[in-house]
Amino acid sequence: MPTFSDSLPSRTSVALAALGLLLTITPATATADTPDTACADQVRETSGFTPVLGLDLPSESDWLNQPVPYDFDRTAEVAGGFDRVGYCLELDGPEGPKWVWTSMEAFTDDATRLGLPTMSGQIVRQRVDDLDVRTNVPGVNVGGGQTGYLEMWPNQYSAGASTQVANASSQVYDADDNITGNTQGYGSFQVHQIGATRPSELHPKTVLAVNTFTSADDAALSVGIGTNTAGEPDWTFANNANSFTQRRLTVYARPAPATVTEGPRDRQLYPRDAQGGASVPVSGTVLDPRVRTLRLEVTSGRSTRTHTARVRDGQFSFSPRITAGLHSYKLSLWTVGAVERRVAHWTDIVSGDVYVVQGQSNAQAARYVGNAAGEESPWLRSFGSSTPDPVISGADRAWHHATGDVSYQSGSIGQWAIRTGRRIVDTYKVPVALVNGAHGGQPIAFFQRDDADPDRITTNYGRLRQRLAAAGIADRVRGVFFYQGESDSDNAAVHVGGYSSLLADWRADLGAAIPGGSQYLTYQVRTSPCNNGTAIALRDAQRRLGDTHDVTVLSTNGLSGHDGCHYAYAGGYRELGDHAFAVLARDQYRGPSAGVAPPNPRDAAFTDQARTEITVQLRSTDPLTVDPGAEADFRIDGSTATVSAVEYQAGGRLVLTLSEPAPDATGVTYLGHLRAGPWITNATGVGMLAFTGITVG
C-alpha cells in the first residue's frame, strides 16, 4: 500500500530531481501496519490513499468515552493534510465474503476524527459530496459523483427525522435519524447514499454501517453493507456481529498537496454587501514543494470563471466575487503543474440576506396542525442546529437546507419563518438564511446573555451567538424577530426589563456591518399566559415597545387558527409568515407600505355630548374591516358601559357606540380574541394590536 511519502515526495527528492538525478521510490508492501484489503485489491482509487486506521471489529464492545484499540494507527502520517477520506468494510459470513469501498470529500481536517466516534461531542451528521462507492454486494449504487450522508456519533438515537434527507422516514432507522443527548451510548457509524436535491426521486440507501460499539448492554455489534431488508434499514438493532467470521474496518485518507485554511462550506450563504454580492475568501498552505500555482474555478450554470494564484512562502489566496440572487456557485480548487489534482470543492454557494428568529414555542413554530413542507426551497438555508443540547449544538457547524415543520434539528427554522423566507425568495429573487434559536416554554430571563462569557454554550444566547459567528454572519444580520412572553405570565415589568437588556446585547453583537444596523421586530403575543385572553398588561407593554425602544411591533391578532396557545399552519403560522414578509418587504426591499402596519391606537375622545360615542384615532389611515361581534372585545375603563357597535370611518377612525353614557370613563381597552375571531383587520389581514389605558379625552 502507498505511504504518505509515496504521494508527497520529500524536499530532498525534489532537490535531487532538480539536479537531474534519477530517484526511485519503492512502493510500500502490505505489512501489519499497511494491511492488504479486498478494497485495495479491487478498487484502483485506493492506490492514492494511505490506510490510517485498521480494526478487526469485536463481536461486542462498550467503547463509550474510551479510545478504540485499533490494530494500527497511522493518522499522524496525514495530520498535515488530506483531501479525501475512504472506508473499507469487509464481512465474511453465511453468504460468503462481502466488501464495500466508499470515498468522499474530507468532512474534517482532523485525522483522529476519521474512525469510530466514541467520545462525547464526536458527532458528524451532514451531507458529503463526490461520494464514490464500489462493492460486490447487490443493491448498492456503484459509481462516483454521488451525494452521501454521514451519521457518526457515540450517542443513542431515535427514528425521528431532521427532514434534511429527501424521502427519509421518521418511523424507521435509516439515513436521517434523531441523535439524542443520552449519555448511555449506542453508537452509529453509517454512510448513506441520498438524493442530491430536496425533493428527490431517489430514496436513501445505506452503504455501510457499524453500530452498537458504545453500548453497555452486552449487545452484539450491528454491522452491514447495503440496506438491511430484514430489519431497520441502517442495521440498527441487527446485533448480528456473531454471524460473521470476519469483520474488518479500514480507514483511509488521501494526503493532500495543499490544504485550505479558509474557504466556504457546502450550501453556504454569504451575506450580500452594498455592491450586490459577496467576496468568497479561499486561502491555504501548500504541502508539496512542486506546487507553484493553484487554480480556482467558479462555476454558475454553464459559465465558469478561472482564477490563478502563485504560491508565496508556501501560501496561496483567492477572493472571487459572487453575485447575490438566485445563482448557485460551485468552486473547485486545483493544484497546477507537476501535481494536477482537485484538492477541494464546494457546492451550492449563494449570496443573500440573513435573519434571526428567537423566542419561545411560537418562535419555534413547529407543526401542530398542517405542514409547511411546500414552502421549502433550495434558496432557503440555515446553519447548525436549534437543539438546546450544548454538545450536539457545538458539533453541528454545517450549512443546511431550511426546514419548517420540526424543532431542535439541523436546519429547523419554524413554519412562519420558512413562509417568510419563501415569500422573499419568490418576490425579490434573493436567497435567504434564517437561524432560529428559540426554546419553548421559557421566560425572558432564559434568553439573556452571560456578560462574563457571551459565548457560553450552555446558555441559549451563547449557542445562538456561536452559531452565527461560526457561520460568518453575526455582523450581517438584517433583522431579528422575537416572539416571547407567554411564559412571563403577564408580568409587564419583568418582560420589558428583560427585553431591554436583550435588545441592548443584540444591538452590540449583531448587524454591525449593515448600514443603519439590524431591524428588530417583536411580536405582541396573543396570550400571557397561554389560554388567557383577558390579561393585557404585558401585551400593552409590548405594543408600546415601538415607541419606547425603537423596534417594529408585529401583531398576532387576526389569526383564527389559534388553539389558545399555538397555531395551525393555515389560518395561523402561514399568515404570520405573510405578515412578517409584508413588513420586511416594506422596510428592507422597498415594497408597498399600504395595509402593512398593524392597526395601533394613538388616542381616543368622546365625540358626542352625551358621552355615548368614543372615537379611537389610529396611527395609520389604512382601511379596516370590522367583523360583526368585535365590539365584545372592548372594555370601557372606569365605567359600566359596554361597547354595542364598532364602525370604521375613513381617516383611521374607529367609532365605538356605547350601551349607555359613560361620563366617568377613563380609557379604552381592546383585548383581542382567544382562538378564532371576530377581528378588526387591515387589507393584509393583520389584526389590530391589543391595548389598554388609551385615555379618553
Side-chain angles (χ1 to χ4, degrees):
M1 299 297 297
T3 64
F4 184 71
S5 60
D6 294 331
S7 298
L8 298 179
S10 68
R11 294 182 182 273
T12 302
S13 67
V14 173
L16 291 172
L19 293 173
L21 300 177
L22 178 64
L23 178 67
T24 301
I25 299 175
T26 303
T29 57
T31 68
D33 288 338
T34 58
D36 198 3
T37 64
C39 299
D41 293 340
Q42 300 292 330
V43 182
R44 180 181 301 176
E45 184 190 18
T46 62
S47 63
F49 286 69
T50 296
V52 294
L53 294 168
L55 179 66
D56 284 317
L57 295 164
S59 60
E60 61 184 60
S61 68
D62 177 13
W63 289 326
L64 182 64
N65 293 320
Q66 302 292 327
V68 178
Y70 291 107
D71 300 329
F72 70 88
D73 183 341
R74 297 173 56 197
T75 54
E77 296 183 28
V78 296
F82 51 93
D83 55 23
R84 283 187 73 78
V85 177
Y87 295 106
C88 180
L89 180 62
E90 300 170 275
L91 303 173
D92 196 351
E95 298 178 356
K98 297 181 178 181
W99 61 269
V100 65
W101 161 264
T102 183
S103 67
M104 65 207 71
E105 61 178 336
F107 57 86
T108 177
D109 58 6
D110 183 353
T112 66
R113 293 287 304 274
L114 297 178
L116 296 176
T118 60
M119 303 294 183
S120 176
Q122 291 184 341
I123 299 170
V124 178
R125 185 189 192 190
Q126 68 182 63
R127 290 171 175 253
V128 289
D129 291 311
D130 202 14
L131 187 76
D132 188 275
V133 179
R134 312 290 166 176
T135 185
N136 68 343
V137 176
V140 180
N141 294 337
V142 174
Q146 301 185 53
T147 300
Y149 199 76
L150 307 183
E151 294 188 300
M152 300 176 176
W153 53 69
N155 305 54
Q156 294 185 6
Y157 50 99
S158 68
S162 73
T163 72
Q164 285 298 314
V165 177
N167 305 315
S169 170
S170 61
Q171 306 301 315
V172 300
Y173 292 86
D174 58 3
D176 187 16
D177 296 327
N178 182 20
I179 185 172
T180 71
N182 194 308
T183 58
Q184 297 304 307
Y186 184 82
S188 170
F189 186 83
Q190 300 172 8
V191 180
H192 304 278
Q193 298 164 321
I194 67 171
T197 59
R198 296 170 58 256
S200 172
E201 295 182 357
L202 297 178
H203 286 257
K205 291 184 177 182
T206 301
V207 176
L208 63 85
V210 179
N211 309 319
T212 333
F213 51 85
T214 60
S215 174
D217 295 336
D218 297 325
L221 265 64
S222 304
V223 297
I225 297 173
T227 299
N228 183 16
T229 59
E232 302 296 337
D234 65 358
W235 301 91
T236 299
F237 305 136
N239 303 123
N240 59 345
N242 287 317
S243 65
F244 300 104
T245 58
Q246 181 192 35
R247 304 173 295 270
R248 180 75 182 172
L249 176 67
T250 307
V251 180
Y252 291 79
R254 189 175 74 175
T259 61
V260 176
T261 54
E262 182 179 17
R265 297 179 176 93
D266 294 333
R267 291 164 298 283
Q268 182 163 354
L269 181 144
Y270 283 86
R272 59 171 167 168
D273 54 26
Q275 288 72 49
S279 297
V280 181
V282 177
S283 61
T285 302
V286 170
L287 304 178
D288 189 327
R290 294 176 296 173
V291 175
R292 295 285 185 264
T293 304
L294 288 96
R295 180 176 74 248
L296 182 67
E297 298 173 352
V298 181
T299 301
S300 180
R302 297 181 179 180
S303 173
T304 298
R305 291 179 285 121
T306 300
H307 308 263
T308 58
R310 296 286 295 172
V311 177
R312 300 182 185 279
D313 298 323
Q315 307 296 309
F316 65 89
S317 65
F318 300 87
S319 190
R321 293 279 301 176
I322 62 174
T323 302
L326 304 188
H327 320 290
S328 176
Y329 292 86
K330 178 176 69 175
L331 281 68
S332 297
L333 180 65
W334 295 76
T335 55
V336 178
V339 182
E340 183 86 14
R341 183 194 294 181
R342 188 174 72 176
V343 294
H345 74 288
W346 303 278
T347 61
D348 207 7
I349 312 302
V350 298
S351 177
D353 297 336
V354 178
Y355 296 94
V356 168
V357 176
Q358 184 59 299
Q360 51 183 110
S361 57
N362 279 315
Q364 283 180 277
R367 177 175 57 200
Y368 289 94
V369 179
N371 70 72
E375 306 298 346
E376 294 179 1
S377 165
W379 305 108
L380 291 174
R381 311 292 168 87
S382 190
F383 184 85
S385 171
S386 59
T387 176
D389 187 294
V391 175
I392 298 174
S393 176
D396 193 337
R397 291 294 179 259
W399 282 90
H400 305 287
H401 296 292
T403 63
D405 287 341
V406 296
S407 293
Y408 299 146
Q409 299 290 339
S410 299
S412 296
I413 65 169
Q415 289 192 329
W416 62 259
I418 203 165
R419 174 72 171 186
T420 302
R422 180 61 183 268
R423 293 289 307 275
I424 294 172
V425 167
D426 290 349
T427 306
Y428 296 107
K429 310 303 180 185
V430 62
V432 176
L434 297 111
V435 180
N436 191 314
H439 190 122
Q442 298 297 332
I444 200 161
F446 177 83
F447 301 98
Q448 300 301 313
R449 185 176 73 176
D450 178 355
D451 291 339
D453 185 5
D455 285 322
R456 183 159 65 90
I457 201 167
T458 54
T459 66
N460 174 273
Y461 193 102
R463 287 191 294 277
L464 178 60
R465 193 173 191 264
Q466 279 204 28
R467 288 168 64 195
L468 295 173
I473 57 178
D475 64 343
R476 300 303 301 271
V477 176
R478 296 178 70 98
V480 179
F481 289 91
F482 191 59
Y483 192 135
Q484 189 275 335
E486 295 94 339
S487 292
D488 293 335
S489 297
D490 202 38
N491 192 324
V494 166
H495 181 80
V496 172
Y499 184 76
S500 299
S501 176
L502 194 57
L503 183 63
D505 291 335
W506 285 339
R507 284 177 165 152
D509 287 344
L510 305 177
I514 299 291
S518 297
Q519 180 179 8
Y520 298 93
L521 308 97
T522 187
Y523 281 95
Q524 182 190 65
V525 297
R526 186 73 165 269
T527 59
S528 180
C530 283
N531 295 300
N532 185 328
T534 60
I536 190 63
L538 181 143
R539 290 190 287 157
D540 190 64
Q542 288 179 324
R543 180 185 69 86
R544 296 175 185 272
L545 289 172
D547 299 325
T548 60
H549 290 65
D550 191 27
V551 299
T552 303
V553 178
L554 305 177
S555 176
T556 58
N557 286 329
L559 307 174
S560 291
H562 184 241
D563 66 6
C565 192
H566 303 111
Y567 301 86
Y569 184 58
Y573 290 137
R574 181 183 63 193
E575 284 71 21
L576 273 181
D578 289 339
H579 301 165
F581 162 74
V583 171
L584 292 182
R586 178 194 67 190
D587 298 340
Q588 299 282 344
Y589 302 97
R590 300 180 180 179
S593 60
V596 171
N600 188 3
R602 187 181 68 199
D603 53 44
F606 283 106
T607 48
D608 69 334
Q609 289 185 348
R611 292 185 175 252
T612 60
E613 183 179 275
I614 296 175
T615 296
V616 177
Q617 181 63 54
L618 302 173
R619 303 185 187 203
S620 169
T621 59
D622 292 334
L624 302 183
T625 297
V626 180
D627 291 342
E631 62 273 7
D633 293 323
F634 285 89
R635 302 288 183 269
I636 304 303
D637 305 330
S639 174
T640 59
T642 60
V643 178
S644 57
V646 182
E647 179 187 1
Y648 175 77
Q649 293 182 356
R653 295 188 295 271
L654 274 181
V655 180
L656 312 182
T657 300
L658 308 186
S659 61
E660 59 184 87
D664 297 328
T666 58
V668 180
T669 292
Y670 173 67
L671 298 175
H673 205 85
L674 194 64
R675 301 184 175 87
W679 299 113
I680 299 172
T681 55
N682 65 15
T684 55
V686 178
M688 184 167 68
L689 292 166
F691 60 84
T692 191
I694 299 297
T695 303
V696 180

